[in-house]
């Protein structure tokens, strides 16, 4: 019998990271041996309050409120509805978790190395891996990106897909290198964008697709796997500016309260 693949999951806790965590915990041939939970919002040196204010200045109040809804408010409402939090799920299964604003720090490298991972998987993670971390796992570092790379590179691909009225997007699982959204592609899953999609509902579907593909790739990956190189550069989009978010608000919704609360109340955790 083949030994379970030892995986470390790197993320910023949110509604989307819970989707990926559930798929990893459900896979019998994957052993989640650790989690790296990012505490960084914008710059490593910013406090939570300062970063939140800067986010409003960068992107406007509506977009900042959406980010709050899928992260801090999401975690609070799970507590209100007596649902297991991200941290509680890990504690229940004795999975060690490192909270850090720098995955490349000495402390982080020691944590990762001691867990002897076969793979690192990043999803909804806002830190760039440097060579020392990239070289740690036995097989590879993977990332789930919610677009069909090289299209819609950047921090919120679903936002820009909706803003630019794309008819199709998808999820990509790719090898990580020293640049964001740049490594060789292992698998892509396409998804049609529907008129009723909100930013929240579209991201839920994309991270679900990506997590299913990631589990498949974790099972099949070998030391010889190379993937398909991204042959075109693709545009990299940073945080939306107020003009972008104003235009988005005229075209789409960030989320519908009913779908948002339903996800929190009825999504089962492992």
């Amino acid at each position: 019998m083949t030994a379970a693949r030892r995986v470390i999951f790197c993320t910023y806790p949110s509604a989307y990271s819970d989707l990926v965590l559930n798929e990893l915990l459900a896979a019998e041939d994957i052993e989640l041996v650790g989690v790296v939970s990012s505490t960084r919002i914008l710059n490593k040196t910013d406090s939570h309050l300062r970063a939140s204010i800067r986010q409003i200045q960068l992107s406007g109040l509506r977009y900042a409120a959406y980010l709050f809804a899928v992260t801090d408010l999401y975690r609070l409402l799970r507590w209100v509805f007596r649902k297991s939090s991200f941290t509680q799920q890990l504690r229940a299964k004795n999975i060690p978790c490192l909270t850090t604003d720098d995955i490349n720090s000495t402390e982080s490298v020691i944590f990762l190395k001691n867990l002897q991972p076969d793979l690192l998987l990043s999803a909804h993670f806002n830190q760039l891996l440097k060579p020392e971390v990239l070289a740690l796992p036995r097989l590879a570092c993977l990332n789930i990106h919610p677009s069909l790379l090289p299209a819609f590179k950047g921090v919120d691909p679903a936002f820009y897909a909706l803003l630019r009225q794309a008819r199709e997007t998808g999820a990509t699982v790719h090898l990580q290198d020293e640049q964001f959204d740049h490594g060789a592609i292992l698998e892509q899953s396409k998804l049609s964008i529907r008129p009723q999609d909100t930013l929240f509902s579209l991201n839920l579907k994309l991270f679900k697709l990506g997590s299913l593909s990631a589990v498949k790739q974790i099972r099949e990956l070998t030391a010889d796997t190379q993937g398909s190189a991204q042959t075109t550069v693709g545009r990299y989009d940073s945080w939306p500016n107020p003009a972008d978010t104003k235009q988005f608000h005229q075209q789409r919704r960030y989320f519908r309260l009913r779908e948002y609360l339903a996800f929190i109340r009825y999504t089962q955790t492992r």
Side-chain angles (χ1 to χ4, degrees), residues 13-32:
S14 67
Y16 310 135
S17 55
D18 271 4
L19 278 175
V20 181
L21 178 64
N22 279 345
E23 293 303 324
L24 292 173
L25 294 177
E28 295 181 357
D29 48 357
I30 291 176
E31 181 184 2
L32 187 62

Side-chain angles (χ1 to χ4, degrees), residues 1-242:
M1 183 177 177
T2 304
R5 292 282 168 90
R6 296 174 59 83
V7 175
I8 295 175
F9 179 36
C10 306
T11 193
Y12 186 100
S14 67
Y16 310 135
S17 55
D18 271 4
L19 278 175
V20 181
L21 178 64
N22 279 345
E23 293 303 324
L24 292 173
L25 294 177
E28 295 181 357
D29 48 357
I30 291 176
E31 181 184 2
L32 187 62
V33 296
V35 170
V36 175
S37 177
S38 178
T39 58
R40 186 184 302 187
I41 299 179
L42 293 173
N43 295 327
K44 184 171 64 172
T45 56
D46 286 344
S47 67
H48 196 284
L49 176 61
R50 177 176 171 79
S52 299
I53 293 171
R54 288 187 64 233
Q55 187 73 69
I56 294 172
Q57 293 170 336
L58 277 172
S59 304
L61 184 59
R62 286 192 181 95
Y63 185 80
Y66 157 76
L67 293 180
F68 174 70
V70 298
T71 55
D72 294 341
L73 181 60
Y74 168 78
R75 294 194 291 271
L76 174 62
L77 290 177
R78 285 195 67 85
W79 176 80
V80 169
F81 291 128
R82 298 185 178 182
K83 299 291 184 178
S84 297
S85 69
F86 187 86
T87 303
Q88 288 171 336
Q89 292 179 70
L90 300 179
R91 286 177 181 167
K93 297 182 179 296
N94 296 315
I95 298 171
C97 179
L98 175 70
T99 57
T100 181
D101 60 9
D102 185 3
I103 193 173
N104 302 294
S105 68
T106 301
E107 177 191 15
S108 299
V109 170
I110 292 171
F111 173 82
L112 296 170
K113 188 178 294 184
N114 287 341
L115 294 174
Q116 300 180 327
D118 295 313
L119 299 107
L120 263 65
L121 174 67
S122 298
H124 201 248
F125 190 59
N126 56 0
Q127 299 184 35
L128 187 65
L129 309 189
K130 293 184 177 178
E132 186 175 10
V133 172
L134 289 169
L136 280 175
R138 182 177 65 87
L139 292 174
C141 295
L142 308 182
N143 181 57
I144 298 172
H145 185 77
S147 82
L148 297 173
L149 289 175
F152 299 111
K153 293 184 176 185
V155 296
D156 196 342
F159 173 91
Y160 287 101
L162 292 173
L163 179 69
R164 295 174 189 150
Q165 301 183 41
R167 294 183 178 181
E168 183 180 69
T169 185
T172 301
V173 176
H174 65 94
L175 297 170
Q176 293 194 76
D177 58 18
E178 296 176 52
Q179 300 179 50
F180 282 123
D181 311 331
H182 181 263
I185 294 169
L186 297 178
E187 184 171 337
Q188 293 187 312
S189 304
K190 294 182 179 181
L191 179 71
S192 296
I193 297 177
R194 299 182 178 183
Q196 65 269 31
D197 277 327
T198 64
L199 183 54
F200 180 68
S201 69
L202 182 58
N203 265 317
L204 288 179
K205 289 186 282 187
L206 291 174
F207 278 100
K208 178 70 173 182
L209 277 177
S211 61
L212 294 173
S213 294
V215 166
K216 177 173 174 285
Q217 290 301 320
I218 289 168
R219 289 169 173 158
E220 297 177 355
L221 200 75
T222 70
D224 298 323
T225 302
Q226 295 184 348
S228 302
Q230 298 185 43
T231 54
T232 56
V233 175
R235 172 178 174 175
Y236 187 95
D237 293 301
S238 188
W239 293 107
N241 60 44

